Amino acid sequence: MSLFEQIELKKTSLSGEKLIALEKFLSAGFPTKKDEEYKYTNLKEITEKDYNFSPSEHHSITKKQLDELHLGEEHFDFIVFINGKLHKELSNISVENAEFLTLNFALSHPSYSDVIKNHFNTIANKELPFCNLNEALHENGFFLHVPKNVVIEKPIHVFYISQNQDENTFYNTRNLLVVEESASVEVIESHHNFDDNFVFTNSVTEIFAGKNAKADWHKLQNDSETSYLVDHTFAKQERDSLATVNTFSFGGKLVRNNLDFIHNGENINSFMNGITIIGGEQLVDHHTAVHHKQPNCESYQNYKGVYKDKAHGVFNGKVFVDKIAQKTNAYQQNNNILLDEGATIDTKPQLEIFADDVKCSHGCTVGQLNEDALFYLRARGISKKEAQALLLYAFANDAMQNIDIEPLKVKISKLLAEKLEVNIEFEDLD
């Protein structure tokens, strides 16, 4: 039975808004290559499989396995979901003066009704099939509300783990982050499949940054070759706020990242950085959009890709500047290197500008390593393989310059070196 047919059967168990969302999804169906937004990404590999929608809660995750997933940090907070369920005994939450809960608890508890009503499902695009599917079927995820003037010093790492599943498994994760005026927080998100069976995760995240707030979200995507991920992240910012979404894609059979920033005030700064290094027959597709709706705002997009073997990359970056959004400064760059003849990249940066006093730029490059630089290194006794890796490391490195979590920066550097098969010391990354 196909995934669509399995989803159809869910109609009998839903009601209210969840049923409405499911019916909207069923009416549209999964995107195909006939849809412009999925022109280069074929989802058939995912949708023609059958999945278990109710994973077994049994797990045998050991402390050693969990430790290996950590970034080497000593003082982070972390929350662990295994097979769709929160495991408090494996989590470490010391957050004070903020509400850190499972989303399901927040949705059902009267104490959080005002925050939920004002934020939940208000910026997720209800015209997108995967968002509707997530609204109908989400059963796990977390909610974090950071009140006014609260600064959360420790980064928070959220783990989504799947283990001991006898069948392919389908997860719909949903996250909500609300950062009030002059508050700040940093979140790291990672997904991990420990089984040989396939896992498909449909994730939706809504981020709200209030006036003068700071909200950073780092996506560490280094899952197994039996994992699929479709991720939609929406970030809405008020005046004087700063928000960052960094996306580091190294693992997973097929990964689709959809990222939307919405400016709802002046003097906003938005940062989107991405590093993709994949090989084999992996596919990573980045679709970004920044909606400049107010004057005097800035956005920066810097995505780097390295593709080996028969890997396929996609980048589609959009910047929309409304008529009233004068003095906008929008930068967008996508640079890619293809290491093998079978590797491909489809890249399409786009600008739609309706204001006349702006500074906007975009560009993309697709090429190979610089032969002169390669010759320079080899002339100094460095092997060809190591010289290539060092150049690739330098190429990707500038997309991680705004990471201010040192253990995360070290982890990304180590993953870069591992993927590029080079030995690099990380004692001083500055």
Side-chain angles (χ1 to χ4, degrees):
M1 186 183 297
S2 71
L3 179 56
F4 185 86
E5 291 171 322
Q6 288 183 282
I7 292 169
E8 275 190 306
L9 299 177
K10 291 290 180 180
K11 286 182 66 174
T12 58
S13 61
L14 299 178
S15 61
E17 292 183 359
K18 281 182 170 286
L19 179 58
I20 293 171
L22 185 65
E23 288 177 335
K24 288 184 70 173
F25 167 78
L26 293 173
S27 176
F30 285 109
T32 70
K33 295 190 73 173
K34 293 180 180 179
D35 298 290
E36 183 64 27
E37 294 298 296
Y38 282 81
K39 183 177 180 180
Y40 302 110
T41 299
N42 191 343
L43 298 175
K44 276 191 173 182
E45 180 181 353
I46 298 175
T47 60
E48 291 184 350
K49 289 183 171 65
D50 60 346
Y51 296 87
N52 176 21
F53 287 58
S54 302
S56 166
E57 295 184 22
H58 171 70
H59 77 87
S60 54
I61 294 289
T62 64
K63 184 179 183 301
K64 180 181 178 181
Q65 287 175 305
L66 279 177
D67 288 345
E68 290 174 352
L69 299 181
H70 284 277
L71 309 180
E73 70 275 17
E74 295 181 3
H75 305 294
F76 286 13
D77 280 333
F78 51 91
I79 184 168
V80 178
F81 288 87
I82 302 177
N83 302 333
K85 301 297 181 182
L86 170 65
H87 283 262
K88 291 184 178 180
E89 76 281 7
L90 299 175
S91 304
N92 181 49
I93 304 300
S94 63
V95 174
E96 298 179 355
N97 303 318
E99 290 95 12
F100 195 171
L101 311 161
T102 64
L103 182 59
N104 281 356
F105 182 87
L107 288 172
S108 62
H109 202 285
S111 300
Y112 307 102
S113 59
D114 287 343
V115 176
I116 293 296
K117 180 180 178 181
N118 293 330
H119 298 93
F120 179 72
N121 210 31
T122 60
I123 55 174
N125 190 334
K126 297 178 178 61
E127 301 304 314
L128 298 177
F130 282 107
C131 288
N132 286 320
L133 182 58
N134 183 280
E135 182 182 354
L137 300 181
H138 70 84
E139 293 184 353
N140 58 80
F142 83 98
F143 163 70
L144 175 59
H145 176 217
V146 188
K148 182 178 178 179
N149 296 323
V150 172
V151 176
I152 297 181
E153 300 289 349
K154 299 179 182 179
I156 300 168
H157 194 158
V158 183
F159 296 94
Y160 288 105
I161 298 171
S162 184
Q163 189 211 39
N164 289 352
Q165 302 305 310
D166 296 328
E167 305 171 79
N168 299 333
T169 308
F170 184 31
Y171 295 96
N172 284 272
T173 60
R174 186 81 180 219
N175 305 309
L176 176 60
L177 172 63
V178 180
V179 187
E180 300 285 4
E181 181 179 348
S182 299
S184 70
V185 68
E186 294 201 76
V187 177
I188 304 166
E189 174 192 10
S190 60
H191 296 255
H192 309 273
N193 176 21
F194 280 87
D195 295 325
D196 293 330
N197 293 315
F198 281 90
V199 160
F200 174 31
T201 301
N202 175 30
S203 178
V204 174
T205 298
E206 293 176 292
I207 301 169
F208 294 85
K211 295 178 182 178
N212 196 41
K214 181 177 183 291
D216 292 347
W217 195 288
H218 310 278
K219 298 178 181 292
L220 181 54
Q221 299 172 342
N222 190 37
D223 209 347
S224 71
E225 292 188 6
T226 54
S227 64
Y228 306 121
L229 173 65
V230 175
D231 180 278
H232 284 80
T233 297
F234 302 88
K236 185 178 182 181
Q237 295 180 249
E238 305 300 329
R239 67 170 302 130
D240 301 315
S241 64
L242 186 155
T244 299
V245 175
N246 291 321
T247 308
F248 307 109
S249 304
F250 303 112
K253 185 66 166 57
L254 188 155
V255 177
R256 166 71 179 236
N257 292 303
N258 307 273
L259 177 59
D260 281 76
F261 273 75
I262 304 156
H263 288 184
N264 198 44
E266 296 190 43
N267 302 315
I268 286 171
N269 282 276
S270 302
F271 294 90
M272 291 143 279
N273 299 286
I275 299 174
T276 301
I277 302 180
I278 55 174
E281 296 184 349
Q282 291 177 276
L283 184 150
V284 172
D285 179 345
H286 296 289
H287 269 60
T288 68
V290 184
H291 305 268
H292 285 271
K293 296 178 176 292
Q294 298 292 331
N296 303 303
C297 296
E298 300 186 4
S299 66
Y300 303 88
Q301 300 183 58
N302 185 17
Y303 280 75
K304 298 292 186 74
V306 178
Y307 303 94
K308 303 184 291 184
D309 307 317
K310 295 182 179 180
H312 181 195
V314 181
F315 176 81
N316 185 304
K318 301 184 183 73
V319 176
F320 303 97
V321 183
D322 287 2
K323 188 175 181 178
I324 69 168
Q326 305 293 343
K327 304 295 183 181
T328 289
N329 183 2
Y331 171 85
Q332 181 189 96
Q333 188 67 35
N334 175 230
N335 298 326
N336 304 281
I337 291 179
L338 305 180
L339 295 180
D340 297 292
E341 290 185 4
T344 57
I345 174 70
D346 294 290
T347 179
K348 185 182 180 182
Q350 296 176 254
L351 299 176
E352 292 189 20
I353 303 171
F354 299 97
D356 52 21
D357 185 9
V358 301
K359 183 180 179 181
C360 297
S361 64
H362 68 168
C364 65
T365 61
V366 180
Q368 298 175 322
L369 288 173
N370 185 295
E371 290 296 331
D372 291 338
L374 197 59
F375 177 81
Y376 177 88
L377 290 173
R378 296 200 65 195
R380 278 148 182 79
I382 299 174
S383 70
K384 181 179 180 180
K385 183 178 180 180
E386 189 171 15
Q388 288 176 330
L390 288 169
L391 291 175
L392 290 170
Y393 182 87
F395 164 79
N397 188 60
D398 72 325
M400 51 184 272
Q401 290 308 303
N402 75 328
I403 304 176
D404 52 13
I405 304 174
E406 194 63 23
L408 177 61
K409 185 180 288 189
V410 171
K411 178 67 173 181
I412 298 301
S413 297
K414 288 181 177 179
L415 286 172
L416 280 172
E418 180 183 311
K419 290 290 181 178
L420 299 172
E421 299 178 346
V422 62
N423 293 318
I424 299 175
E425 297 296 330
F426 303 101
E427 293 180 1
D428 185 2
L429 293 176
D430 298 326

